[in-house]
Amino acid sequence: VNSISVCGCIKDLVIAEYRAVFHMNQPWDELTMTADGKYIGIFRSHQHLQSKFTVPKGTWYHACITWSASSRSHRYYVNGQLLGSQQTASGRLLTTGGALTLGNWNGGSSWRFGGEMAYLNVYAKELSAS
C-alpha cells in the first residue's frame, strides 16, 4: 500500500494515557493513533503530540492520520488543523495482511479506548486538510 488515511470522530470518556483508538500491527506498529495524542504514527515512528491539543472529556473531535510514499511523510490533523508531520523513509510501503484493531492496542488489553467512535473511515489515498 503506497498511501492511506484513517479519519473519524472521537469522544474520549476516560482520561488516562495510552488509549488506542486504532492500531495496525503488521509487522510492528505499522499505524497507531491514541486518544491522548501520545502515540500518533506510522512505521513505529511516533509523534508525541499530546502537548499540542487537549480535548475535554466527553467532547467530540475529528482526528485524521494520513501518509503516502510519494510525500514521504505522515500528518496528523485534529478538527481540520495540522498538528504535526514527520518524514518517513524513502521507498517504504505499508505492509498488508495485518490486523487493524479498533479500540485497543493489537494483542493487548491495557491500552483500551474508553469512549465513542463514529464515522471511522479508511481511505487508500492521502487526504489533505481541505
Side-chain angles (χ1 to χ4, degrees):
V1 175
N2 61 13
S3 61
I4 193 169
S5 295
V6 181
C7 306
C9 296
I10 300 164
K11 180 167 58 169
D12 200 3
L13 299 173
V14 176
I15 301 301
E17 286 188 319
Y18 309 119
R19 292 160 338 279
V21 174
F22 66 84
H23 178 248
M24 186 174 133
N25 191 20
Q26 176 64 24
W28 185 260
D29 293 354
E30 285 289 274
L31 193 60
T32 307
M33 181 190 297
T34 59
D36 62 355
K38 186 150 190 151
Y39 289 99
I40 309 295
I42 191 165
F43 310 138
R44 203 166 190 203
S45 173
H46 297 107
Q47 299 182 67
H48 302 282
L49 300 172
Q50 71 271 25
S51 65
K52 297 208 176 186
F53 77 97
T54 54
V55 178
K57 185 168 113 175
T59 302
W60 284 101
Y61 66 96
H62 186 265
C64 193
I65 184 171
T66 68
W67 168 81
S68 77
S70 62
S71 72
R72 292 188 46 227
S73 67
H74 69 90
R75 295 176 175 87
Y76 183 64
Y77 299 90
V78 171
N79 295 331
Q81 293 187 338
L82 178 65
L83 292 188
S85 65
Q86 192 168 16
Q87 290 297 116
T88 59
S90 179
R92 181 68 157 90
L93 298 178
L94 190 64
T95 306
T96 59
L100 178 64
T101 304
L102 300 177
N104 202 349
W105 196 266
N106 188 32
S109 61
S110 62
W111 287 35
R112 288 185 298 266
F113 174 67
E116 299 176 35
M117 289 181 259
Y119 310 108
L120 191 66
N121 293 289
V122 179
Y123 302 92
K125 62 182 180 177
E126 182 181 30
L127 299 177
S128 66
S130 60

